[in-house]
Amino acid sequence: MIRILDQRTSPTLDLSRFRGNSANDDVVRAIIEAVRAKRDEAVLQYARELDGLGDLPLRITEEEMASAASRVSSDFLHAAETAIANIRDFAQAQMPGECFREFSPGRKLGWIVRPLESVGCYVPSGRYPLTSTLLMTATLAQVAGVKRICVTSPKPSEEILASAHLLG
């Protein structure tokens, strides 16, 4: 059983190690206030300054994805295409359908399953790019009928870009 400690009443629970120093707290507070006031503009500014985004574009073009697909190995492309087909087949087999039943005369109950309008897929990258995350999330969204699928990945690898190209 999980033991739950209430920080208000437990003398043994010391949270001070999770708190920063006041200088850090002031920096974080300023960032939060800037984001509240300037919203996306502030987020972009901090991404450029703190995350090393610099002048890189936020959006990757279809041409860049196609170019990445031409640079990865044919073995990788074949493996990705096979994975996409397998994921798609399994997802289609699990798709729920509409269901209505008449439980008594005049009392018909049921459900209709509809896809979301849009989804966002976060794909980890960096030292160990997780192409599988892109394949699993985007393919499932496609099978479900999601109209708008957005993918974000910090410093996407050639394989991630090539897979995005394969997925359209």
Side-chain angles (χ1 to χ4, degrees):
M1 178 176 223
I2 297 174
R3 187 171 158 221
I4 299 174
L5 301 175
D6 185 336
Q7 73 177 26
R8 296 167 294 184
T9 59
S10 176
T12 61
L13 186 60
D14 178 16
L15 297 178
S16 62
R17 63 190 167 129
F18 298 110
R19 294 188 185 104
N21 62 42
S22 62
N24 288 342
D25 291 348
D26 291 342
V27 169
V28 171
R29 209 173 276 105
I31 290 172
I32 291 170
E33 288 171 13
V35 170
R36 282 185 179 141
K38 297 182 180 176
R39 306 180 61 87
D40 287 348
E41 180 184 335
V43 172
L44 182 57
Q45 173 193 337
Y46 286 114
R48 293 194 188 289
E49 289 175 19
L50 303 176
D51 295 335
L53 180 63
D55 292 329
L56 292 172
L58 293 180
R59 188 171 291 216
I60 294 174
T61 66
E62 180 59 40
E63 292 77 23
E64 290 172 294
M65 289 185 271
S67 177
S70 72
R71 290 189 301 271
V72 297
S73 73
S74 59
D75 287 344
F76 174 83
L77 289 176
H78 177 71
E81 289 168 342
T82 301
I84 291 167
N86 289 340
I87 295 164
R88 186 168 279 127
D89 287 346
F90 191 64
Q92 286 171 338
Q94 297 178 76
M95 281 293 293
E98 293 182 9
C99 178
F100 289 94
R101 293 186 189 145
E102 190 163 351
F103 288 86
S104 61
R107 189 172 66 106
K108 192 173 188 180
L109 304 171
W111 61 82
I112 298 173
V113 179
R114 293 189 179 107
L116 298 170
E117 281 292 315
S118 63
V119 298
C121 304
Y122 176 79
V123 182
S125 58
R127 185 183 298 172
Y128 303 107
L130 295 180
T131 307
S132 59
T133 300
L134 173 61
L135 300 180
M136 289 296 294
T137 57
T139 304
L140 294 177
Q142 287 176 337
V143 170
V146 175
K147 293 178 183 164
R148 181 174 180 251
I149 303 169
C150 299
V151 176
T152 186
S153 181
K155 301 179 184 175
S157 67
E158 297 278 300
E159 292 80 8
I160 289 173
L161 296 175
S163 297
H165 175 70
L166 290 175
L167 289 163

